[in-house]
Amino acid sequence: DADVTQTPRNRITKTGKRIMLECSQTKGHDRMYWYRQDPGLGLRLIYYSFDVKDINKGEISDGYSVSRQAQAKFSLSLESAIPNQTALYFCATSDGGAGYEQYFGPGTRLTVT
Amino acid sequence: GEDVEQSLFLSVREGDSSVINCTYTDSSSTYLYWYKQEPGAGLQLLTYIFSNMDMKQDQRLTVLLNKKDKHLSLRIADTQTGDSAIYFCAESTGTASKLTFGTGTRLQVTL
């Protein structure tokens, strides 16, 4: 089984709808991250969490919110989806050790029409 | 803030060497990374280099770091079709464990 899983893998939604993307990990890591990937822009950090009680905004948090329900679960919500939130979304985890390697989920492709 | 730049596309012939370049602006970068993204998949760490090193070699991969010019490169020897992917350069600073990614370089390997 994959160490970092994301659900759903693909989602099409309409403008104004609320949507939640979920991430679960079995690596036992404290640190979890949400990124979005857009062609030609690379990955940009939306939110990150260093433990269940610690939530931090990344560089593009406007329009998004997160919930860290447990050490293993980190959800990303779009309260009112808009078309420019169409992107590929990745969850990642890290143990914060030497090298700070991050382990990525397979991604959720979100389309807002 | 931090900025990491890469060229968007590189095409090489199978068996040749590939060199993917990256420049960054943050002189306090602690670690610099190369991640690989295959089609339909998440990113996977290929290798990383600590900022006080200037070279790291791992089988077919060679990473060169020029701190003075803030330039990082990834050389893939004997490039194979399975190396076709998007390669991301990234950097982290201090203990924040946050990564700043470049735009990604799409490597196309032709026969």
Side-chain angles (χ1 to χ4, degrees), chain B residues 69-90:
Chain B
D69 296 337
K70 300 189 185 67
H71 182 267
L72 183 74
S73 68
L74 174 69
R75 178 178 182 269
I76 305 173
D78 187 25
T79 311
Q80 303 297 305
T81 54
D83 295 323
S84 293
I86 301 175
Y87 291 81
F88 290 92
C89 170

Side-chain angles (χ1 to χ4, degrees), chain A residues 87-102:
Chain A
L88 190 53
Y89 289 84
F90 287 104
C91 174
T93 74
S94 170
D95 65 2
Y100 305 127
E101 178 177 358
Q102 292 189 13

